[in-house]
Amino acid sequence: MKKTVSLKENHLFRRAYNRGKSAADSRLALYVRDNGQKSCRLGLTVSTKVGCAVVRNRVRRRLREIYRLHEEQVVGGRDVVVVARVRAASSDYHQLEKSFLKLADKLELLKKEGSR
């Protein structure tokens, strides 16, 4: 099992926002950019507008788990930034997962069924 590598530096987030492809819905916004490496890096952004610390951490844990479970399907060499919107706080796990997969498919982040 792979360990998810995190994006931590502000300039990497800004680079994904400014130069990456994006897709959004009412719960999440997803930014994807090539990083020139073999592995993917994940960055999560949950604003204080989403709720108090307990709510923000719950959303963060859910998003991290969704990514971890679908990491094998993700095309390598990308920086992925997931931005939680206010509606993510009232969404359950399955709604967030459906939203993430829809946006990832829209950005061609997921591998096709037949390819490895």
Side-chain angles (χ1 to χ4, degrees), residues 15 22 34 103:
R15 191 176 295 161
S22 65
D34 290 338
L103 295 175

Side-chain angles (χ1 to χ4, degrees), residues 10-56:
N10 190 14
H11 73 277
L12 296 174
F13 279 88
R14 283 194 319 243
R15 191 176 295 161
Y17 295 145
N18 294 331
R19 298 187 189 146
K21 295 190 298 183
S22 65
D25 66 3
S26 61
R27 292 178 182 88
L28 301 173
L30 202 65
Y31 296 88
V32 177
R33 183 176 187 278
D34 290 338
N35 64 12
Q37 301 174 356
K38 287 190 175 186
S39 63
C40 285
R41 298 183 293 191
L42 176 68
L44 299 174
T45 303
V46 184
S47 169
T48 55
K49 293 178 186 178
V50 173
C52 65
V54 174
V55 174
R56 292 193 310 268

Side-chain angles (χ1 to χ4, degrees), residues 47-104:
S47 169
T48 55
K49 293 178 186 178
V50 173
C52 65
V54 174
V55 174
R56 292 193 310 268
N57 287 326
R58 182 184 309 127
V59 171
R60 222 175 272 124
R61 283 193 308 270
R62 286 178 178 171
L63 292 173
R64 208 175 294 122
E65 181 66 7
I66 289 167
Y67 182 81
R68 185 188 71 83
L69 291 176
H70 297 285
E71 189 172 20
E72 297 298 324
Q73 299 171 339
V74 174
V75 176
R78 306 277 169 87
D79 285 343
V80 180
V81 177
V82 182
V83 180
R85 295 194 165 172
V86 175
R87 197 162 170 201
S90 61
S91 302
D92 67 2
Y93 175 86
H94 297 292
Q95 291 171 327
L96 287 175
E97 183 178 35
K98 183 178 176 184
S99 181
F100 175 81
L101 291 175
K102 182 182 76 169
L103 295 175

